[in-house]
Amino acid sequence: MRFSVRREDRRNLIVGFVGLMTVMTAHSVMETARDTLFLTNLPAADLPRAYLAIALLAIVELKLHERLLPQVRDRRILLAASLFFGSLITLGFWALLDELGPWAPFGFYVWTGLLITVVLIQFWLLLDDAVTVTQAKRIFPAIAAGGVSGAMLGSLLAEGLLRISPPSGLVLLAASILAIAAGTAFLWKAPEQPGLELAASERGPSLRWLLRDDYLSRVLALVLFGTVALTVVDFIFKSSVADSIPPDGLGPFFARFYLGLNTVALIVQVAGAGWLLQGFGAHRSSALLPVLVFGGALGLAVGPVLPFAVALKAVDGSLRHTLYRSAVEVLYLPLDSRSRERAKGIVEVFGHRVGQALASVPVSYTHLKLP
């Protein structure tokens, strides 16, 4: 597929592509490291506790984010500071992996989830303020392709490094890439923005404000139910892998699996995501991932666990950060800047992270019942 790029789109496209590619390269390396370290040192039954911890910390972060955003005149500084601070914390985990014992892989798993939540909110807010709805439909699929390219590059780097280094080496590599990503925030041509005060109708608890809006309530429901389903898929996949592969083989498996997954995702993004988004609209495109997951879940209920778990994870990995993410981001664009930045944080936290926590309840119960 050929992306439709016009002269006025080029700067936003290039900066968005490079920025998201760098962020997702770091996240992909961290993802391989966190899954390997977690499942090597802890049982898969502890994953729901990690989901819950991410959700609780994300709610706290949302409150801080809402207080801070109206006071920030240049959002590039906020994104750069988050990435640089993320690099320092990740470096701290690398230095203390041996000293912290089992708490290290658990804490690192929680940290990666919290960091990517914060960074992606800030990244897409910067981009959303720079484009119109029409421009977004033209360039968001191409920018999302940058994210998938970065994820594929990160998987490739992780697979190569694991040949000569233990999984802890991936943590150091991720910290270095995050520091580089911090510099890409200043490639944006972002004018200073005055601090924005909340309107009287927007004051009060964040979630209550969002639920009063029919449109935003539907966006939240879409993200929440999709996240619950995908979290169950993630747990089944990682539990099956932990039961089927010896600990010393987990690192190479995750690196190669994510490399293959991200390669497929890039093909999907280049071949059809933009066409689907422009042809069917954001609301129909965003429904494709939940429909495919539902179909795969039916197979999981009647067939062997590992093959269907791998297939479901492949559907998740190939669509979540490509077509699905692009479609959901377009849904925010009809909002004004202040409503968009507030709604995005709420949906990201209560849709994605609280959705993970809600999914952890049946997951934990089912796991306890299994022989």
Side-chain angles (χ1 to χ4, degrees), residues 18-79:
V18 171
L20 191 57
M21 181 180 68
T22 312
V23 168
M24 293 307 296
T25 298
H27 178 66
S28 182
V29 173
M30 293 176 75
E31 188 176 42
T32 302
R34 76 170 190 194
D35 290 348
T36 303
L37 291 168
F38 193 101
L39 294 177
T40 300
N41 294 277
L42 297 168
D46 285 343
L47 281 170
R49 297 185 182 92
Y51 300 150
L52 180 59
I54 294 172
L56 293 174
L57 289 173
I59 292 173
V60 173
E61 190 282 327
L62 175 63
K63 296 299 182 183
L64 295 174
H65 198 255
E66 284 192 335
R67 291 180 178 274
L68 185 61
L69 254 184
Q71 303 174 28
V72 176
R73 297 182 180 276
D74 189 341
R75 290 178 186 159
R76 297 174 301 174
I77 295 176
L78 190 58
L79 177 59

Side-chain angles (χ1 to χ4, degrees), residues 16 31 58 157 161 205 222 279 285 291 297 310 314 338 347:
E31 188 176 42
L157 291 172
L161 186 59
L222 170 70
S285 298
V291 168
V310 171
R338 175 57 192 154
V347 172

Side-chain angles (χ1 to χ4, degrees), residues 8 14 47 149 188 202 219 226 233 256 308 357 359 367:
E8 64 268 24
I14 293 171
L47 281 170
S149 300
W188 293 96
E202 294 181 342
V219 174
V233 168
R256 291 165 189 163
F308 276 102
H367 190 272

Side-chain angles (χ1 to χ4, degrees), residues 292-332:
L292 291 178
V293 168
F294 177 75
L298 293 178
L300 185 64
V302 299
V305 174
L306 185 59
F308 276 102
V310 171
L312 280 169
K313 187 65 177 177
V315 170
D316 172 19
S318 61
L319 291 179
R320 186 193 298 200
H321 297 295
T322 55
L323 175 64
Y324 182 73
R325 184 81 200 200
S326 299
V328 171
E329 290 299 328
V330 171
L331 293 176
Y332 290 115

Side-chain angles (χ1 to χ4, degrees), residues 54-237:
I54 294 172
L56 293 174
L57 289 173
I59 292 173
V60 173
E61 190 282 327
L62 175 63
K63 296 299 182 183
L64 295 174
H65 198 255
E66 284 192 335
R67 291 180 178 274
L68 185 61
L69 254 184
Q71 303 174 28
V72 176
R73 297 182 180 276
D74 189 341
R75 290 178 186 159
R76 297 174 301 174
I77 295 176
L78 190 58
L79 177 59
S82 297
L83 287 165
F84 187 72
F85 180 74
S87 174
L88 293 178
I89 297 296
T90 304
L91 187 62
F93 272 108
W94 171 76
L96 298 174
L97 276 176
D98 294 333
E99 286 76 5
L100 293 177
W103 285 103
F106 184 90
F108 186 65
Y109 196 103
V110 172
W111 167 244
T112 59
L114 185 64
L115 178 63
I116 196 64
T117 299
V118 172
V119 167
L120 287 182
I121 289 174
Q122 294 172 1
F123 175 87
W124 286 103
L125 280 175
L126 263 175
L127 183 58
D128 289 348
D129 282 341
V131 300
T132 64
V133 175
T134 303
Q135 285 178 313
K137 289 182 178 181
R138 289 199 301 265
I139 69 173
F140 273 17
I143 291 173
V148 180
S149 300
M152 187 172 68
L153 176 59
S155 298
L156 190 62
L157 291 172
E159 200 276 336
L161 186 59
L162 283 173
R163 295 175 182 271
I164 58 174
S165 169
S168 58
L170 298 179
V171 182
L172 179 60
L173 176 61
S176 302
I177 299 173
L178 284 171
I180 296 172
T184 67
F186 294 101
L187 296 176
W188 293 96
K189 186 179 180 181
E192 289 192 353
Q193 300 185 8
L196 298 174
E197 294 295 330
L198 289 178
S201 61
E202 294 181 342
R203 292 178 186 138
S206 300
L207 186 58
R208 186 183 304 170
W209 166 78
L210 185 140
L211 292 177
R212 287 199 297 262
D213 188 294
D214 290 340
Y215 178 78
L216 291 176
S217 297
R218 291 195 293 270
V219 174
L220 175 61
L222 170 70
V223 174
L224 177 65
F225 289 116
T227 298
V228 170
L230 295 175
T231 300
V232 174
V233 168
D234 185 66
F235 178 81
I236 294 172
F237 167 72

